[in-house]
């Protein structure tokens, strides 16, 4: 199995750091259809499964069913491109991390825990706009620019790592 650990903000939306768009980002209306189409292309070309490691994972139940309107909209947009979210990474957050929203502090350990629990993984990548400060993750990471999100160049790099 090939796996894509997917972040949302700074990957499937852009202008993440633009203060005038914080509401749209938090309510899920700034998911960029063009970025979703690029992700769909990657999945079609590699047959990879999507595992959500974004803070958005908290908007889904244990069966990856949306709990919030934003999550419903995300799933709807992904489904239009034939993309299914196959799971989420475990939650290693603490109360302090949840309050500060510094999820990047535990993303690497969550991803590596998921990988260690699945022995059928052939290849895997992490698509995120944040450096997750882990050497093992760095070998597998496609680092996007949060101000523009997922690009054709990112997709080419991801395909190279997955194929």
């Amino acid at each position: 199995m090939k796996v894509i650990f997917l972040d949302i903000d700074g990957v499937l939306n852009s202008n993440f750091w633009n203060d005038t768009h914080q509401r749209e980002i938090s309510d899920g209306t700034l998911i960029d259809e063009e970025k979703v189409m690029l992700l769909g292309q990657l999945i079609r070309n590699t047959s990879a499964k999507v595992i959500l490691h974004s803070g958005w994972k908290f908007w889904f139940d244990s069966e990856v069913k949306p709990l919030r309107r934003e999550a419903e909209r995300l799933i709807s947009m992904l489904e239009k491109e034939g993309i299914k979210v196959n799971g989420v990474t475990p939650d290693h957050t603490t109360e302090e991390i949840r309050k500060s929203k510094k999820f990047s502090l535990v993303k690497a350990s969550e991803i590596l825990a998921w990988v260690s629990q699945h022995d059928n993984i052939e290849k895997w990548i992490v698509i995120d706009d944040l450096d997750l400060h882990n050497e093992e993750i760095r070998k597998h990471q496609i680092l996007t620019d949060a101000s523009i999100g997922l690009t054709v160049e990112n997709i080419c790099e991801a395909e190279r790592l997955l194929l």
Side-chain angles (χ1 to χ4, degrees), residues 8 21 44 53 55 57 67 72 77 81 83-84 107 110-111 117 119 123 129 137 141 143 145 152 154 156 158 160:
I8 302 298
H21 289 101
R44 283 188 296 280
H53 81 272
K57 71 183 180 184
L67 297 172
E72 288 174 0
M77 291 181 76
E81 284 299 313
I83 302 167
K84 178 181 191 245
K107 281 184 170 184
E110 292 172 344
I111 291 166
Q117 294 166 359
D119 58 1
K123 295 183 179 184
D129 62 308
I137 295 291
Q141 184 171 3
L143 188 64
D145 179 335
V152 170
N154 296 144
C156 291
R160 184 181 55 76

Side-chain angles (χ1 to χ4, degrees), residues 17-38:
W17 304 114
N18 186 338
D19 290 336
T20 63
H21 289 101
Q22 288 305 306
R23 180 183 168 126
E24 291 91 344
I25 289 167
S26 66
D27 72 12
T29 58
L30 260 189
I31 300 297
D32 187 331
E33 288 182 41
E34 178 183 317
K35 310 303 180 194
V36 174
M37 289 171 65
L38 285 172

Side-chain angles (χ1 to χ4, degrees), residues 106-163:
V106 293
K107 281 184 170 184
S109 70
E110 292 172 344
I111 291 166
L112 293 173
W114 195 97
V115 168
S116 72
Q117 294 166 359
H118 297 82
D119 58 1
N120 60 338
I121 299 174
E122 176 187 351
K123 295 183 179 184
W124 58 275
I125 62 168
V126 176
I127 304 178
D128 203 313
D129 62 308
L130 300 173
D131 180 352
L132 303 183
H133 309 287
N134 178 288
E135 287 306 312
E136 182 63 20
I137 295 291
R138 196 168 280 124
K139 295 176 202 173
H140 298 268
Q141 184 171 3
I142 307 301
L143 188 64
T144 63
D145 179 335
S147 66
I148 57 175
L150 194 62
T151 65
V152 170
E153 292 78 14
N154 296 144
I155 296 301
C156 291
E157 183 182 0
E159 286 180 356
R160 184 181 55 76
L161 291 174
L162 287 171
L163 294 175

